[in-house]
Amino acid sequence: MPREIRFLNTASRRVETLDPLEKGHVRMYTCGPTVYNFPHIGNYRTFLFEDILRRTLKSFGYRVTQVMNLTDIDDKTIKGAAAEGISLREFTDRYVAAFFEDLDTLGVERAEHYPRATEWIPQMVKLVQRLNERGHTYVQDGSTYFRIATFPGYGKLSGIDVAQVRAGTRVDADEYEKEDVRDFVLWKAPKEGEPSWDTPLGPGRPGWHLECSAMSMGLLGESFDIHTGGVDNIFPHHENEIAQSEGATGAPFVRLWLHAEHLFVEGQKMAKSLGNFYTLRDLLEKGHDPLAIRYLLISVPYRQKLNFTSDGMHAAAAGIERIRNTMRRLAHTPPAAGEGSLPATAVGEFEAEFDAGLADDLNTARALAALHTLLTAVNQALDAGGIGAAARPLVDAALARVDAVLGIVPRVDTVHTSGVTATAGVGVVTASDTPAEQAEIESLIAERVAARAARDFARADEIRKELAERGIVLEDTPHGTVWHRTS
Ligand SMILES: [Zn+2]
């Protein structure tokens, strides 16, 4: 039996328990990128929320089918390709590749399906034909529009007031504001310099909103469990998706609507004009660790605004370093004889709190706090009598679970135990260490151990400094001296 999980549903404005239409199988649609540029970190905040959602559901015992579309035809992609004088496909291929590279950098799990809008034109045309048959459309100057007055539920998701809308006023742009609520375009008449398909609706190309309705229902069925996006998508995009889908099928489109809040940078809305607009690549160029970026972007529950600051970036890096240090200490510390010093309830309490946080509308802040409480207990036990052989696998399993759900546990390199002396080094060997370098490092560590034993602290400090200059950090633990490379 999958574990219970609750979400705040944008549509009902209430907390609801997930109850998949098909037992144990969650079908979800996540609005993907418009592939005309490098997404900014606010976009990645949303994609990471969806990654945490998917990983949590799997960890709670659900099977997940996730669809993320790639919008490769809309006003913005057409404009971008035209500006460079290349084909739409050549232009969008570049940004599709960059998007997947970014997902890998951030450790985002792949969805089951990544449909490209240009490969779903026949299904989109069919959807418009169904809307025609049910009286929801009209044609003006070769374009087909959705008449919102024919769909009484229009406005329910976003809470807009449709009473003020003047019947028969239209909007052709893919993106527009709430003040502009009007009949929206389903199929656009051909324009000079724009790609166009010959279809039973006449020549032209799809509007952006139509794409998501056709691809989601095509891959997940006419009704499915979860639809997500950023709060920016609520109006008009998701409002229009509901109208198109339910208008065509007469069935409920989606059960739960989940929306990630905005990201601010140093308290301000990101804007190119303010110089605070960051893509993932900008942050990597500044030298930030992708794991720390991921940590920061998931650290605030998705329904709350996230303020991305340089202090926050440092705190996230420190959080990652704390996990890494604990993993290192665990890797090079043999199990304690007997029970050890870790309280018997520590891992169980962690698990209960971690799961309770996630089950509460993906409260990642609470899940992270549970992790840090566990790390404190583990480090205190390592400082004292160590962790017993029976408790050790439980700790390992808990950290593996954190990694499966949050994806923030750094890899710790193979641990190498020195044979020089009983108390000398245990090192973290990296690929760049040649056997000769290792031997040299270990002989210096052995010399330092001997110097300390002889109370020659001046020589011991000298060796520590010499190694530090070579990027090697020593840690003295109850189990001997441990070393690893910085960087
Ligand atoms: Zn969409």
Side-chain angles (χ1 to χ4, degrees):
M1 269 293 277
R3 219 166 297 194
E4 184 179 302
I5 183 163
R6 296 170 308 280
F7 295 104
L8 178 63
N9 186 359
T10 309
S12 67
R13 287 134 183 103
R14 282 196 324 231
V15 175
E16 296 177 27
T17 299
L18 173 68
D19 180 20
L21 290 159
E22 182 191 325
K23 217 172 165 45
H25 179 195
V26 178
R27 287 172 292 162
M28 64 181 199
Y29 188 82
T30 49
C31 281
T34 298
V35 282
Y36 77 111
N37 66 1
F38 300 113
H40 58 65
I41 54 173
N43 301 132
Y44 281 114
R45 189 215 180 172
T46 301
F47 298 137
L48 281 169
F49 138 62
E50 290 153 351
D51 186 49
I52 298 294
L53 170 60
R54 146 186 195 92
R55 287 162 172 260
T56 301
L57 291 173
K58 284 168 65 183
S59 170
F60 276 20
Y62 297 91
R63 183 183 145 212
V64 173
T65 301
Q66 180 190 1
V67 177
M68 178 175 280
N69 66 296
L70 302 169
T71 297
D72 62 354
I73 175 155
D74 80 320
D75 295 348
K76 293 190 281 202
T77 49
I78 292 170
K79 205 173 143 200
E84 292 195 28
I86 56 178
S87 73
L88 188 65
R89 183 73 191 206
E90 195 184 337
F91 179 77
T92 55
D93 272 351
R94 180 200 302 162
Y95 294 107
V96 169
F99 176 63
F100 284 114
E101 253 177 55
D102 284 1
L103 292 188
D104 289 344
T105 301
L106 286 173
V108 174
E109 272 188 17
R110 292 292 161 98
E112 281 65 30
H113 303 278
Y114 289 99
R116 288 179 75 130
T118 50
E119 289 164 6
W120 282 74
I121 303 290
Q123 292 87 339
M124 295 176 200
V125 169
K126 230 182 217 137
L127 189 60
V128 177
Q129 289 173 318
R130 287 175 78 179
L131 289 167
N132 290 344
E133 283 160 23
R134 294 171 70 104
H136 290 296
T137 66
Y138 60 93
V139 176
Q140 183 79 41
D141 304 327
S143 293
T144 306
Y145 296 87
F146 189 98
R147 194 190 296 280
I148 59 175
T150 64
F151 187 74
Y154 195 86
K156 263 208 305 217
L157 182 72
S158 59
I160 50 144
D161 181 9
V162 286
Q164 300 172 1
V165 181
R166 210 149 49 80
T169 54
R170 287 175 295 282
V171 53
D172 286 283
D174 284 333
E175 291 183 71
Y176 52 94
E177 303 296 320
K178 275 190 185 181
E179 301 73 57
D180 264 344
V181 46
R182 282 176 282 171
D183 291 345
F184 60 92
V185 71
L186 297 164
W187 187 258
K188 300 194 189 197
K191 261 198 215 155
E192 182 70 35
E194 286 199 353
S196 172
W197 283 260
D198 279 316
T199 74
L201 301 171
R205 55 120 170 158
W208 170 42
H209 315 292
L210 181 68
E211 301 175 7
C212 281
S213 284
M215 293 186 281
S216 60
M217 293 197 293
L219 288 162
L220 297 172
E222 293 183 350
S223 299
F224 55 92
D225 303 298
I226 298 178
H227 195 313
T228 72
V231 285
D232 281 346
N233 292 142
I234 297 173
F235 186 88
H237 187 49
H238 291 163
E239 198 73 75
N240 292 354
E241 275 189 48
I242 294 171
Q244 294 161 158
S245 304
E246 299 188 356
T249 67
F253 178 43
V254 166
R255 287 200 158 182
L256 291 169
W257 287 91
L258 313 183
H259 292 100
E261 256 294 346
H262 283 295
L263 175 144
F264 291 86
V265 174
E266 306 286 352
Q268 285 184 297
K269 217 174 160 179
M270 241 190 325
K272 286 195 171 131
S273 58
L274 291 176
N276 67 354
F277 186 97
Y278 297 121
T279 66
L280 176 61
R281 281 138 207 265
D282 295 332
L283 295 184
L284 298 175
E285 259 170 45
K286 284 167 165 268
H288 294 302
D289 172 12
L291 221 44
I293 299 169
R294 179 179 170 99
Y295 186 109
L296 177 52
L297 290 177
I298 67 168
S299 62
V300 174
Y302 75 99
R303 287 275 181 187
Q304 291 173 25
K305 292 183 174 66
L306 188 154
N307 189 15
F308 190 99
T309 64
S310 129
D311 285 353
M313 204 56 245
H314 285 119
I320 293 294
E321 199 46 36
R322 185 163 189 246
I323 304 170
R324 181 181 281 123
N325 284 334
T326 309
M327 298 293 286
R328 273 202 192 109
R329 293 189 74 189
L330 281 169
H332 63 62
T333 310
E339 302 254 300
S341 301
L342 187 70
T345 54
V347 174
E349 280 167 6
F350 156 76
E351 274 169 357
E353 184 58 18
F354 186 75
D355 285 348
L358 292 167
D360 176 18
D361 199 21
L362 297 183
N363 188 336
T364 44
R366 196 171 155 192
L368 279 172
L371 166 65
H372 282 286
T373 303
L374 176 68
L375 294 180
T376 300
V378 165
N379 280 299
Q380 281 170 352
L382 289 170
D383 290 340
I387 294 173
R392 180 56 199 270
L394 302 178
V395 172
D396 290 344
L399 292 170
R401 181 105 199 288
V402 169
D403 200 35
V405 177
L406 301 181
I408 50 163
V409 177
R411 297 270 101 49
V412 174
D413 299 304
T414 323
V415 167
H416 176 73
T417 308
S418 162
V420 181
T421 73
T423 50
V426 179
V428 177
V429 179
T430 67
S432 59
D433 294 325
T434 65
E437 279 174 326
Q438 272 178 53
E440 199 204 335
I441 292 162
E442 278 166 18
S443 91
L444 280 168
I445 293 173
E447 194 190 331
R448 181 172 166 273
V449 168
R452 276 160 57 97
R455 309 192 66 78
D456 182 357
F457 297 113
R459 175 65 187 144
D461 278 354
E462 213 174 83
I463 294 170
R464 177 191 282 278
K465 266 189 211 145
E466 187 187 331
L467 287 170
E469 275 161 23
R470 292 163 60 176
I472 289 153
V473 178
L474 303 184
E475 277 177 78
D476 296 311
T477 80
H479 308 281
T481 299
V482 163
W483 59 271
H484 69 266
R485 287 185 185 277
T486 55
S487 83

